[in-house]
Amino acid sequence: MTSQVSSPAEQADGTVVGEQRKPGGAKDVRRLDRVIIRFAGDSGDGMQLTGDRFTSETATFGNDLSTLPNFPAEIRAPAGTLPGVSSFQLHFADHDILTPGDAPNVLVAMNPAALKANVGDLPRGAEIIVNTDEFTKRALQKVGYDRSPLEDGSLDGYHLHPVPLTTLTVEALKDFDLSRKEAERSKNMFALGLLSWMYHRPTEGTEKFLNSKFAKKPDIAKANIAAFRAGWNFGETTEDFAVSYEVAPAAQAFPAGTYRNISGNLALAYGLVTASTQADLPLFLGSYPITPASDILHELSKHKNFGVRTFQAEDEIAGIGAALGAAFGGSLAVTTTSGPGVALKSETIGLAVSLELPLVVVDIQRGGPSTGLPTKTEQADLLQAMYGRNGEAPVPVVAPRTPADCFDAALEAARIALTYRTPVFLLSDGYLANGSEPWRIPDPDELPDLRVQFASGPNHTLDDGTEVFWAYKRDPRTLARPWAVPGTPGLEHRIGGIEKQDGTGNISYDPANHDLMVRTRQAKVDGIEVPDVEVDDPHGARTLVLGWGSTYGPITAAVRRLRAAGEAVAQAHLRHLNPFPGNLGAVLGRYDKVVVPEMNLGQLATLIRAKYLVDARSYNQVNGMPFKAEQLAAALKEAIDD
């Protein structure tokens, strides 16, 4: 049997690279270089699970990928309403990609609300798969449709596939001892099977997952697997789907190594466990559940075999108080939260600054202020991390740029905390926390040595020759004070929030001493050794795009688009926000224009303008969603031409 490759067929986004026509009336297979799929339905329809399983199989297949889960803040939002729509977007490709994609090529809409909430994001020519069973008169009216969009011609610009997903699922499970309502719950697996057929995804992993997930309910496992297979078979046999698609593995996108799919919160949890192992210290997490940080608590609670202790406290203040106590006791101490929790923890963070103990404060940022948008993303806690405490209480700030980079950022935050005896902020956000991408599992030899030396005896000699222990006698290079584990004979010392005397650590109200201690704590943070910022500037540009945190993907994708169009533009991205890299001032001085895209109203730009007297231009978005590459490219082009 042979096949022929025709000239490339262009899809709406220009991703079709070829087409194979099978003889004997078999269905066509088109080769694509990338695809963006969005699953959407009620928050109870299992869209996050469906997207996660499709993502896992895509990662197993070897594609590069990036995901964007998007769901309501309510545990179960009102069914069939626009606020209740939950979606999961996946961008996968045969090459290196950076974002979940701007516009889906395929939308799977489980009800009218899902269609209405998402159809505006689709390019003309995109494919829409709808569950026609849910397009009842009542469901249509609930979201403001006077007539069914499946029949009024409003979707004529798209490739519409009306599929009675619920009916087909119930029919496929008729031999199982399930009620109709129980059978209907498997319609997401039917949809997953159909999409798996359309894009030639592996199926073994999903079937193993279902057997594992429902191990205590084998009948439910068998029913879900049957629905999954029925969806696959439907795609294979129905006339409505005449074409399936292939996206080859991204063989050239990754360095050699062993990879797995990972979310930002999972990578961060693994990074913390690795840091404690590399430091040869027990890991203690004192935390209170809060969206979108709770997954870190859940994950770390599974790793007692690595010496991890997790404490779910009664509130945010108790969580960080316990963590600080663990730091005093000689543990690698961590507390996790989001913006509202940081506000409650601020006094104890100030205490940690005064006590000069290592503590990692993980802030998974979300939309604010107050409760704000719990399940949406934002970068608006930077100034809170920098200055959100009474008095002069400087704290180092580190920010990961991708979900996988959360692993390395956790190691870096731990390095700084342990080396310099200081609390450290790690600023992730909801986009990174819930998004996922391939992660190369590091070789143990690549990991940093984070071991520390505890104080073991006297470190100071008095004028009369007596050897004593001074709790605030500093390392001349790092300005870190000694770390004395409670119970070590002769190393007893006073702790508390009242100002310490330089050297001894005794209580001091002396004005000159307070001035010295404030300046010393600031000098310690200012002196933290961080790598220089790297600049990507292949064409000698006059405009620099400076970012931090999760804007890395959209900024890099936008810069690639501009360069492909012949524009010269430079890019730099900051991991260390306090202190800034030592070469940042010189880098900024080389460019006529500096543009800072942020998901806030210009917080990094404010810091840059204040410290370096650079006329940094802000480009800001605070709608709870990450930047789109096309939108950002247009804004940067305007800045270049200005």
Side-chain angles (χ1 to χ4, degrees), residues 269 272-273 283 285 296-303 308 310:
L272 293 172
V273 174
L283 176 64
L285 174 69
I296 303 171
L297 170 62
H298 300 159
E299 181 61 34
L300 288 179
S301 69
K302 303 174 184 177
H303 296 290
V308 178
T310 53

Side-chain angles (χ1 to χ4, degrees), residues 1 19 37 49 52 85 87 111 138 176 183 197 210 219 235 243 305 326 369 418 457 477 482 499 541 550 569 637:
M1 182 180 293
E19 184 172 340
I37 297 175
L49 174 62
D52 183 67
V85 173
S87 68
N111 59 23
R138 182 183 178 190
F176 290 83
W197 172 84
L210 291 171
D219 291 342
V243 178
N305 56 314
L418 294 171
R477 182 181 68 86
E499 185 62 280
S550 66
V569 58
K637 177 67 166 65

Side-chain angles (χ1 to χ4, degrees), residues 211-224:
N211 278 319
S212 174
K213 180 177 177 63
F214 298 106
K216 296 181 180 179
K217 298 180 179 179
D219 291 342
I220 299 297
K222 291 177 181 178
N224 277 282

Side-chain angles (χ1 to χ4, degrees), residues 244-312:
S244 64
Y245 303 93
E246 287 184 348
V247 181
Q252 305 301 319
F254 309 116
T258 302
Y259 287 79
R260 60 156 294 166
N261 181 51
I262 201 165
S263 69
N265 274 352
L266 183 58
L268 206 157
Y270 285 178
L272 293 172
V273 174
T274 302
S276 77
T277 301
Q278 294 302 107
D280 196 21
L281 295 174
L283 176 64
F284 181 90
L285 174 69
S287 185
Y288 180 76
I290 184 172
T291 302
S294 300
D295 287 342
I296 303 171
L297 170 62
H298 300 159
E299 181 61 34
L300 288 179
S301 69
K302 303 174 184 177
H303 296 290
K304 298 180 179 66
N305 56 314
F306 283 104
V308 178
R309 290 187 178 182
T310 53
F311 171 54
Q312 180 174 320

Side-chain angles (χ1 to χ4, degrees), residues 104-129:
N105 309 115
V106 182
L107 172 66
V108 180
M110 303 298 280
N111 59 23
L115 176 65
K116 188 165 188 177
N118 292 281
V119 70
D121 293 337
L122 302 180
R124 307 303 281 182
E127 295 195 67
I128 303 176
I129 301 171

Side-chain angles (χ1 to χ4, degrees), residues 487-624:
T488 306
L491 304 190
E492 298 85 359
H493 59 283
R494 181 180 288 107
I495 63 170
I498 298 177
E499 185 62 280
K500 315 295 185 296
Q501 184 182 53
D502 180 40
T504 68
N506 296 330
I507 290 175
S508 173
Y509 295 99
D510 178 65
N513 178 78
H514 177 60
D515 184 271
L516 174 63
M517 294 296 281
V518 167
R519 295 181 186 276
T520 301
R521 288 188 289 261
Q522 183 65 58
K524 180 170 69 169
V525 172
D526 291 342
I528 291 173
E529 295 179 1
V530 302
D532 283 347
V533 64
E534 297 180 359
V535 182
D536 177 22
D537 185 5
H539 305 117
R542 297 173 56 196
T543 300
L544 172 70
V545 187
L546 181 67
W548 70 279
S550 66
T551 57
Y552 173 78
I555 289 175
T556 306
V559 166
R560 286 182 181 178
R561 293 189 183 202
L562 290 171
R563 289 177 181 168
E567 298 289 344
V569 58
Q571 179 187 359
H573 209 79
L574 295 175
R575 163 172 283 177
H576 297 90
L577 298 157
N578 193 33
F580 286 129
N583 69 330
L584 181 57
V587 166
L588 296 172
R590 296 204 301 262
Y591 294 92
D592 296 338
K593 301 173 185 176
V594 177
V595 183
V596 186
E598 298 181 79
M599 292 188 294
N600 56 45
L601 294 183
Q603 297 189 14
L604 175 61
T606 296
L607 295 174
I608 293 296
R609 292 171 69 97
K611 184 173 179 63
Y612 299 105
L613 303 181
V614 169
D615 186 19
R617 305 184 184 189
S618 289
Y619 181 72
N620 308 115
Q621 173 178 295
V622 282
N623 61 7

Side-chain angles (χ1 to χ4, degrees), residues 328-352:
F328 179 58
S331 293
L332 174 57
V334 182
T335 189
T336 54
T337 189
S338 190
V342 173
L344 294 169
K345 296 177 188 290
S346 61
E347 182 180 5
T348 308
I349 296 172
L351 176 59

Side-chain angles (χ1 to χ4, degrees), residues 16-177:
V16 176
V17 295
E19 184 172 340
Q20 295 177 337
R21 298 192 180 279
K22 297 182 179 179
K27 294 188 176 185
D28 294 338
V29 179
R30 294 183 185 174
R31 291 185 294 111
L32 311 179
D33 66 354
R34 67 184 183 94
V35 174
I36 304 168
I37 297 175
R38 185 181 296 176
F39 299 92
D42 272 335
S43 57
D45 282 339
M47 294 297 93
Q48 303 304 318
L49 174 62
T50 305
D52 183 67
R53 290 312 313 159
F54 195 94
T55 299
S56 295
E57 299 296 2
T58 297
T60 301
F61 189 72
N63 296 119
D64 195 9
L65 60 90
S66 180
T67 67
L68 178 62
N70 187 13
F71 41 86
E74 293 81 7
I75 294 174
R76 183 65 193 269
T81 65
L82 293 175
V85 173
S86 174
S87 68
F88 188 105
Q89 183 163 307
L90 166 68
H91 183 191
F92 61 101
D94 65 3
H95 58 278
D96 174 36
I97 58 173
L98 298 156
T99 74
D102 290 354
N105 309 115
V106 182
L107 172 66
V108 180
M110 303 298 280
N111 59 23
L115 176 65
K116 188 165 188 177
N118 292 281
V119 70
D121 293 337
L122 302 180
R124 307 303 281 182
E127 295 195 67
I128 303 176
I129 301 171
V130 296
N131 180 14
T132 55
D133 289 326
E134 296 297 323
F135 279 68
T136 63
K137 183 177 181 180
R138 182 183 178 190
L140 291 166
Q141 291 176 342
K142 189 178 290 189
V143 294
Y145 279 127
D146 295 327
R147 298 177 56 197
S148 172
L150 310 184
E151 301 169 355
D152 65 5
S154 61
L155 301 179
D156 288 348
Y158 308 99
H159 296 296
L160 180 64
H161 301 281
V163 181
L165 287 173
T166 305
T167 299
L168 291 171
T169 302
V170 172
E171 177 65 21
L173 303 183
K174 64 182 180 181
D175 294 333
F176 290 83
D177 186 21

